[in-house]
Amino acid sequence: MIRLDNISKHNGHRVIFIEASAALQKGEKIGLVGPNGAGKTTLFRLITGQEEPDEGQVLTDRGMTVGFFNQDVGEMAGRSAAAEVMNGAGPVAEIGTELAQLEAAMADPERFDELDVILERFGEVQARFEELGGYALEGRAREVLHGLGFSQEMMDGDVALLSGGWKMRVALGRILLMKPDVMLLDEPSNHLDLESLIWLEQFLAGFDGALLMTSHDRAFMNRVINKVIEIDGGVLTSFSGDYEFYEQQRALNEKQQQAQFDRQQAMLAKEVAFIERFKARASHAAQVQSRVKKLDKIDRVEPPKRRQTLSFTFPQAPRSGDAVVNLRGVDKRYGNRVIYEGLDLLIRRQERCCVLGVNGAGKSTLLKLVTGTTEPDAGTVTLGGSVKMGYFAQHAMDLLDGDRTVFETLNDAFPLAGQGSLRALAGGFGFSGDDVEKSCRVLSGGEKARLVMALMLYDPPNFLVLDEPTNHLDIATKEMLIAALADYEGTMLFVSHDRHFLAALSNRVLELTPEGIHRYDGGYTEYVARTGREAPGLHE
């Protein structure tokens, strides 16, 4: 369906692709992976014709429909969310518009003399609209929006009133309703809660076209894809299988390449030692000459490319008392909406509580009550003895000073720390070399999230409250964070829609329901096993 044939692409002096080839066939669901800046977005732009390759060609089947979702959703206003989604449904949407115009023309007394022509055209257009499933379109649009977490009220409201994250969902819904031959999805799992993510997973599993997508959610990738294309160093490499298989295969390939490289280096060292030893002796001149020629002809094995791996180790946090936070008889409402009534909750030392609940159940509100950023309407919230709290809020990244560099931001927060330890901290969170001189204004969402984490974790709190900490993080940074938090000895209260993160770090689940909080001992994996569902909003 789509073939990339020996493409090369430069961006200024930076080489993005060198004679790279790959193909996307019908029924294939491909995960596009590679380090940040490797060229994933450029590849999407080449396939959609927004950019041209410098050399080689991008070949697509004639008449093929392509739906492309990316993070840049553009302007949306003047229509309901449902109408906006239907508007992207390809030819059927255009025919629907013409049908509405013809209906208006039939009712217009000034066009009475054209009525025969209008009626004839109306019959043709109506038949085509029916053939394309136009009358079922609104029902399908609402089904997709419901799956993506919209209430009926939000579906019918002006799309302009929605936040950026919800507009992203509308843009995604547009592509899903369109059901093109090929879907290109750049980070579709961003901005989705757990229920919507699982719904999307099932939708894509049942999609019979071809799919090429990027995602920072490894569980999502594993459930959807059957092939991986890796971009690294300008080259495209294909792996059959899911993300888990790709990781194992790549590690195996690296190991084999390292062994080959080591063997060749040992052999070369032996030959060089022989040449050095006997080059001055006339009796060995022919042998020396022959070995020099042999060395010139050998194809050198490259050592495997070393991925930059991030690692951060927690300094030991001071011990807190056994009762970390205690909520007694807490009420909280927003206008007429009751979020909590008479809530009692005790979180003990070394508990790692993940909070689950459908949209609007009060997950972020609970974290705000615990951290004191929101006051309860009634009842008390008491922190225990010797508790030192660190809070990662969803808006924390907006509070960085855009004019300060990464290093200045760390230095402002920890003026007594040595330069060396601050640079080591920055390096552990992916800011190596000149990256520490970047101003906060130009940082990506992921870089800002990493900087906020570094600020929070350098002088370690013994109680971490994290609201969607993985939202903007790539897979490598999430792995680093999971590894660091796995060794953390303090207490945690967190909300996340990343199932890998939830399973790796929780030892207790707090499920928010209309009847109150259900507590489950054991982590997220045990919760799934006991309830038979991966999220509270899903039916067993």
Side-chain angles (χ1 to χ4, degrees), residues 67-111:
F68 178 36
F69 167 78
N70 65 4
Q71 302 295 301
D72 182 16
V73 297
E75 278 304 303
M76 285 186 192
R79 266 196 285 250
S80 70
E84 189 70 53
V85 166
M86 286 191 287
N87 188 50
V92 66
E94 291 157 32
I95 292 166
T97 305
E98 189 183 348
L99 202 59
Q101 288 165 350
L102 289 166
E103 280 172 354
M106 286 191 299
D108 185 350
E110 289 184 13
R111 299 186 65 181

Tab-separated table of all heavy atoms in Angstrom, residues 67-111:
chain	number	residue	atom	x	y	z
A	67	GLY	N	-5.773	8.585	6.529
A	67	GLY	CA	-6.176	9.462	7.634
A	67	GLY	C	-4.976	9.706	8.523
A	67	GLY	O	-4.330	8.752	8.962
A	68	PHE	N	-4.651	10.981	8.769
A	68	PHE	CA	-3.443	11.315	9.547
A	68	PHE	C	-3.829	12.103	10.785
A	68	PHE	O	-4.422	13.177	10.691
A	68	PHE	CB	-2.483	12.129	8.661
A	68	PHE	CG	-1.219	12.578	9.361
A	68	PHE	CD1	-0.592	11.782	10.314
A	68	PHE	CD2	-0.656	13.819	9.063
A	68	PHE	CE1	0.574	12.203	10.961
A	68	PHE	CE2	0.512	14.243	9.700
A	68	PHE	CZ	1.122	13.434	10.652
A	69	PHE	N	-3.510	11.548	11.955
A	69	PHE	CA	-3.738	12.261	13.214
A	69	PHE	C	-2.390	12.648	13.801
A	69	PHE	O	-1.502	11.813	13.956
A	69	PHE	CB	-4.467	11.356	14.222
A	69	PHE	CG	-4.451	11.906	15.625
A	69	PHE	CD1	-5.326	12.927	15.985
A	69	PHE	CD2	-3.546	11.453	16.571
A	69	PHE	CE1	-5.301	13.467	17.270
A	69	PHE	CE2	-3.509	11.982	17.860
A	69	PHE	CZ	-4.396	12.996	18.203
A	70	ASN	N	-2.231	13.946	14.102
A	70	ASN	CA	-1.036	14.359	14.850
A	70	ASN	C	-1.449	15.326	15.954
A	70	ASN	O	-2.625	15.606	16.142
A	70	ASN	CB	0.032	14.960	13.925
A	70	ASN	CG	-0.416	16.254	13.282
A	70	ASN	OD1	-1.500	16.761	13.568
A	70	ASN	ND2	0.400	16.796	12.402
A	71	GLN	N	-0.472	15.805	16.694
A	71	GLN	CA	-0.770	16.616	17.892
A	71	GLN	C	-1.209	18.038	17.551
A	71	GLN	O	-1.677	18.772	18.413
A	71	GLN	CB	0.463	16.675	18.796
A	71	GLN	CG	0.959	15.304	19.255
A	71	GLN	CD	-0.033	14.590	20.156
A	71	GLN	OE1	-0.407	15.084	21.206
A	71	GLN	NE2	-0.492	13.420	19.742
A	72	ASP	N	-1.051	18.434	16.286
A	72	ASP	CA	-1.401	19.798	15.875
A	72	ASP	C	-2.812	19.782	15.303
A	72	ASP	O	-3.015	19.512	14.126
A	72	ASP	CB	-0.382	20.276	14.831
A	72	ASP	CG	-0.638	21.702	14.390
A	72	ASP	OD1	-1.383	22.392	15.092
A	72	ASP	OD2	-0.101	22.114	13.339
A	73	VAL	N	-3.826	20.045	16.145
A	73	VAL	CA	-5.211	19.827	15.699
A	73	VAL	C	-5.820	21.023	14.964
A	73	VAL	O	-6.886	20.908	14.384
A	73	VAL	CB	-6.131	19.414	16.878
A	73	VAL	CG1	-5.687	18.103	17.464
A	73	VAL	CG2	-6.188	20.485	17.950
A	74	GLY	N	-5.157	22.172	14.984
A	74	GLY	CA	-5.680	23.337	14.270
A	74	GLY	C	-6.887	23.962	14.962
A	74	GLY	O	-7.234	23.616	16.082
A	75	GLU	N	-7.538	24.870	14.247
A	75	GLU	CA	-8.681	25.610	14.823
A	75	GLU	C	-9.949	24.759	14.787
A	75	GLU	O	-10.215	24.070	13.822
A	75	GLU	CB	-8.924	26.885	13.999
A	75	GLU	CG	-8.000	28.044	14.371
A	75	GLU	CD	-8.080	28.418	15.855
A	75	GLU	OE1	-9.183	28.735	16.325
A	75	GLU	OE2	-7.043	28.368	16.532
A	76	MET	N	-10.717	24.838	15.847
A	76	MET	CA	-12.031	24.185	15.873
A	76	MET	C	-13.005	25.132	16.543
A	76	MET	O	-12.788	25.517	17.683
A	76	MET	CB	-11.972	22.895	16.707
A	76	MET	CG	-11.294	21.735	16.046
A	76	MET	SD	-11.474	20.264	17.087
A	76	MET	CE	-10.308	19.169	16.300
A	77	ALA	N	-14.053	25.512	15.833
A	77	ALA	CA	-15.058	26.399	16.426
A	77	ALA	C	-16.301	26.392	15.549
A	77	ALA	O	-16.240	26.070	14.358
A	77	ALA	CB	-14.515	27.819	16.541
A	78	GLY	N	-17.440	26.748	16.181
A	78	GLY	CA	-18.664	26.960	15.402
A	78	GLY	C	-19.480	25.715	15.143
A	78	GLY	O	-20.545	25.788	14.531
A	79	ARG	N	-18.972	24.541	15.551
A	79	ARG	CA	-19.728	23.305	15.343
A	79	ARG	C	-19.748	22.533	16.647
A	79	ARG	O	-18.929	22.763	17.523
A	79	ARG	CB	-19.014	22.440	14.296
A	79	ARG	CG	-19.517	22.638	12.878
A	79	ARG	CD	-19.051	21.494	12.003
A	79	ARG	NE	-17.644	21.601	11.684
A	79	ARG	CZ	-17.177	21.884	10.474
A	79	ARG	NH1	-18.014	22.089	9.487
A	79	ARG	NH2	-15.888	21.945	10.251
A	80	SER	N	-20.656	21.567	16.747
A	80	SER	CA	-20.627	20.683	17.925
A	80	SER	C	-19.510	19.658	17.719
A	80	SER	O	-19.030	19.462	16.597
A	80	SER	CB	-21.969	19.966	18.069
A	80	SER	OG	-22.118	19.016	17.021
A	81	ALA	N	-19.116	18.995	18.796
A	81	ALA	CA	-18.068	17.976	18.694
A	81	ALA	C	-18.520	16.870	17.738
A	81	ALA	O	-17.744	16.384	16.907
A	81	ALA	CB	-17.763	17.397	20.074
A	82	ALA	N	-19.801	16.482	17.822
A	82	ALA	CA	-20.321	15.419	16.940
A	82	ALA	C	-20.247	15.843	15.475
A	82	ALA	O	-19.820	15.071	14.608
A	82	ALA	CB	-21.752	15.075	17.328
A	83	ALA	N	-20.640	17.105	15.184
A	83	ALA	CA	-20.601	17.596	13.793
A	83	ALA	C	-19.162	17.683	13.295
A	83	ALA	O	-18.870	17.385	12.130
A	83	ALA	CB	-21.272	18.968	13.712
A	84	GLU	N	-18.253	18.074	14.169
A	84	GLU	CA	-16.831	18.188	13.802
A	84	GLU	C	-16.265	16.818	13.423
A	84	GLU	O	-15.509	16.684	12.466
A	84	GLU	CB	-16.049	18.780	14.980
A	84	GLU	CG	-14.616	19.163	14.670
A	84	GLU	CD	-14.497	20.377	13.750
A	84	GLU	OE1	-15.080	21.437	14.018
A	84	GLU	OE2	-13.781	20.232	12.734
A	85	VAL	N	-16.644	15.794	14.181
A	85	VAL	CA	-16.173	14.431	13.878
A	85	VAL	C	-16.762	13.954	12.550
A	85	VAL	O	-16.062	13.405	11.702
A	85	VAL	CB	-16.550	13.466	15.033
A	85	VAL	CG1	-16.384	12.013	14.624
A	85	VAL	CG2	-15.672	13.739	16.241
A	86	MET	N	-18.059	14.203	12.339
A	86	MET	CA	-18.695	13.764	11.084
A	86	MET	C	-18.114	14.491	9.879
A	86	MET	O	-18.028	13.941	8.792
A	86	MET	CB	-20.210	14.001	11.156
A	86	MET	CG	-20.906	13.006	12.056
A	86	MET	SD	-22.687	13.060	11.895
A	86	MET	CE	-23.075	14.587	12.721
A	87	ASN	N	-17.676	15.719	10.100
A	87	ASN	CA	-17.125	16.514	9.000
A	87	ASN	C	-15.853	15.891	8.423
A	87	ASN	O	-15.481	16.166	7.294
A	87	ASN	CB	-16.823	17.936	9.500
A	87	ASN	CG	-16.441	18.855	8.367
A	87	ASN	OD1	-17.141	18.926	7.366
A	87	ASN	ND2	-15.315	19.523	8.495
A	88	GLY	N	-15.191	15.047	9.221
A	88	GLY	CA	-13.949	14.436	8.729
A	88	GLY	C	-14.161	13.079	8.098
A	88	GLY	O	-13.219	12.365	7.805
A	89	ALA	N	-15.421	12.690	7.879
A	89	ALA	CA	-15.685	11.316	7.443
A	89	ALA	C	-15.491	11.094	5.951
A	89	ALA	O	-16.035	10.159	5.377
A	89	ALA	CB	-17.097	10.921	7.856
A	90	GLY	N	-14.736	11.968	5.297
A	90	GLY	CA	-14.409	11.762	3.885
A	90	GLY	C	-15.586	12.093	2.983
A	90	GLY	O	-16.407	12.960	3.297
A	91	PRO	N	-15.728	11.392	1.833
A	91	PRO	CA	-16.738	11.716	0.812
A	91	PRO	C	-18.151	11.781	1.363
A	91	PRO	O	-18.943	12.629	0.975
A	91	PRO	CB	-16.617	10.550	-0.191
A	91	PRO	CG	-15.280	9.951	0.053
A	91	PRO	CD	-14.914	10.236	1.467
A	92	VAL	N	-18.484	10.899	2.332
A	92	VAL	CA	-19.855	10.871	2.852
A	92	VAL	C	-20.221	12.205	3.519
A	92	VAL	O	-21.372	12.653	3.452
A	92	VAL	CB	-20.049	9.664	3.807
A	92	VAL	CG1	-19.232	9.795	5.057
A	92	VAL	CG2	-21.510	9.476	4.162
A	93	ALA	N	-19.219	12.864	4.134
A	93	ALA	CA	-19.490	14.155	4.781
A	93	ALA	C	-19.816	15.223	3.738
A	93	ALA	O	-20.734	16.031	3.920
A	93	ALA	CB	-18.281	14.583	5.610
A	94	GLU	N	-19.064	15.201	2.623
A	94	GLU	CA	-19.318	16.188	1.547
A	94	GLU	C	-20.708	15.961	0.947
A	94	GLU	O	-21.451	16.908	0.664
A	94	GLU	CB	-18.250	16.052	0.454
A	94	GLU	CG	-16.862	16.509	0.904
A	94	GLU	CD	-15.762	15.866	0.074
A	94	GLU	OE1	-15.992	15.601	-1.128
A	94	GLU	OE2	-14.667	15.634	0.634
A	95	ILE	N	-21.074	14.685	0.739
A	95	ILE	CA	-22.385	14.356	0.162
A	95	ILE	C	-23.496	14.775	1.131
A	95	ILE	O	-24.536	15.298	0.727
A	95	ILE	CB	-22.462	12.851	-0.190
A	95	ILE	CG1	-21.498	12.563	-1.344
A	95	ILE	CG2	-23.862	12.422	-0.565
A	95	ILE	CD1	-21.205	11.109	-1.584
A	96	GLY	N	-23.248	14.580	2.424
A	96	GLY	CA	-24.216	15.002	3.449
A	96	GLY	C	-24.444	16.500	3.409
A	96	GLY	O	-25.584	16.978	3.557
A	97	THR	N	-23.383	17.272	3.190
A	97	THR	CA	-23.493	18.732	3.097
A	97	THR	C	-24.341	19.116	1.889
A	97	THR	O	-25.229	19.979	1.969
A	97	THR	CB	-22.080	19.373	2.984
A	97	THR	OG1	-21.305	18.923	4.086
A	97	THR	CG2	-22.139	20.884	2.982
A	98	GLU	N	-24.079	18.443	0.739
A	98	GLU	CA	-24.851	18.750	-0.479
A	98	GLU	C	-26.321	18.392	-0.277
A	98	GLU	O	-27.222	19.120	-0.717
A	98	GLU	CB	-24.281	17.992	-1.695
A	98	GLU	CG	-24.921	18.477	-2.988
A	98	GLU	CD	-24.455	17.733	-4.249
A	98	GLU	OE1	-23.463	16.981	-4.178
A	98	GLU	OE2	-25.123	17.904	-5.290
A	99	LEU	N	-26.576	17.281	0.411
A	99	LEU	CA	-27.948	16.848	0.671
A	99	LEU	C	-28.698	17.913	1.472
A	99	LEU	O	-29.848	18.246	1.169
A	99	LEU	CB	-27.902	15.525	1.451
A	99	LEU	CG	-29.137	14.628	1.408
A	99	LEU	CD1	-29.476	14.226	-0.027
A	99	LEU	CD2	-28.911	13.375	2.246
A	100	ALA	N	-28.013	18.460	2.489
A	100	ALA	CA	-28.636	19.505	3.323
A	100	ALA	C	-28.924	20.756	2.480
A	100	ALA	O	-29.982	21.397	2.637
A	100	ALA	CB	-27.714	19.845	4.486
A	101	GLN	N	-27.996	21.097	1.556
A	101	GLN	CA	-28.196	22.279	0.683
A	101	GLN	C	-29.399	22.067	-0.254
A	101	GLN	O	-30.205	22.977	-0.484
A	101	GLN	CB	-26.932	22.548	-0.128
A	101	GLN	CG	-25.786	23.108	0.710
A	101	GLN	CD	-24.445	23.035	-0.019
A	101	GLN	OE1	-24.313	22.408	-1.067
A	101	GLN	NE2	-23.434	23.687	0.558
A	102	LEU	N	-29.514	20.829	-0.779
A	102	LEU	CA	-30.625	20.521	-1.698
A	102	LEU	C	-31.968	20.555	-0.956
A	102	LEU	O	-32.975	21.012	-1.505
A	102	LEU	CB	-30.415	19.148	-2.348
A	102	LEU	CG	-29.275	19.077	-3.380
A	102	LEU	CD1	-28.924	17.627	-3.693
A	102	LEU	CD2	-29.656	19.807	-4.672
A	103	GLU	N	-31.963	20.075	0.299
A	103	GLU	CA	-33.210	20.128	1.102
A	103	GLU	C	-33.646	21.578	1.307
A	103	GLU	O	-34.830	21.911	1.213
A	103	GLU	CB	-32.976	19.448	2.463
A	103	GLU	CG	-33.058	17.934	2.396
A	103	GLU	CD	-32.637	17.248	3.696
A	103	GLU	OE1	-32.169	17.957	4.616
A	103	GLU	OE2	-32.753	16.020	3.775
A	104	ALA	N	-32.652	22.454	1.568
A	104	ALA	CA	-32.960	23.884	1.751
A	104	ALA	C	-33.475	24.482	0.442
A	104	ALA	O	-34.430	25.287	0.430
A	104	ALA	CB	-31.698	24.616	2.218
A	105	ALA	N	-32.860	24.061	-0.690
A	105	ALA	CA	-33.267	24.598	-2.009
A	105	ALA	C	-34.707	24.194	-2.349
A	105	ALA	O	-35.469	24.980	-2.910
A	105	ALA	CB	-32.308	24.102	-3.087
A	106	MET	N	-35.087	22.957	-1.974
A	106	MET	CA	-36.461	22.478	-2.269
A	106	MET	C	-37.507	23.296	-1.512
A	106	MET	O	-38.632	23.438	-1.953
A	106	MET	CB	-36.598	20.987	-1.889
A	106	MET	CG	-35.880	20.072	-2.866
A	106	MET	SD	-36.269	18.317	-2.641
A	106	MET	CE	-35.723	17.963	-1.016
A	107	ALA	N	-37.094	23.794	-0.347
A	107	ALA	CA	-38.051	24.558	0.479
A	107	ALA	C	-38.014	26.053	0.157
A	107	ALA	O	-38.751	26.839	0.758
A	107	ALA	CB	-37.717	24.345	1.954
A	108	ASP	N	-37.158	26.463	-0.805
A	108	ASP	CA	-36.988	27.886	-1.128
A	108	ASP	C	-37.962	28.285	-2.241
A	108	ASP	O	-37.815	27.844	-3.392
A	108	ASP	CB	-35.528	28.109	-1.571
A	108	ASP	CG	-35.218	29.582	-1.809
A	108	ASP	OD1	-36.177	30.392	-1.823
A	108	ASP	OD2	-34.034	29.921	-1.992
A	109	PRO	N	-38.975	29.126	-1.929
A	109	PRO	CA	-39.976	29.495	-2.959
A	109	PRO	C	-39.359	30.199	-4.166
A	109	PRO	O	-39.875	30.102	-5.287
A	109	PRO	CB	-40.943	30.414	-2.203
A	109	PRO	CG	-40.271	30.772	-0.911
A	109	PRO	CD	-39.244	29.747	-0.632
A	110	GLU	N	-38.250	30.892	-3.980
A	110	GLU	CA	-37.619	31.619	-5.097
A	110	GLU	C	-36.983	30.670	-6.110
A	110	GLU	O	-36.607	31.079	-7.202
A	110	GLU	CB	-36.580	32.600	-4.556
A	110	GLU	CG	-37.237	33.779	-3.839
A	110	GLU	CD	-36.233	34.814	-3.385
A	110	GLU	OE1	-35.066	34.761	-3.835
A	110	GLU	OE2	-36.620	35.682	-2.578
A	111	ARG	N	-36.825	29.380	-5.738
A	111	ARG	CA	-36.185	28.429	-6.669
A	111	ARG	C	-37.196	27.401	-7.161
A	111	ARG	O	-36.830	26.317	-7.611
A	111	ARG	CB	-34.998	27.734	-5.971
A	111	ARG	CG	-33.922	28.730	-5.541
A	111	ARG	CD	-32.697	28.055	-4.998
A	111	ARG	NE	-31.995	27.263	-5.992
A	111	ARG	CZ	-30.896	26.552	-5.746
A	111	ARG	NH1	-30.381	26.547	-4.531
A	111	ARG	NH2	-30.322	25.843	-6.705
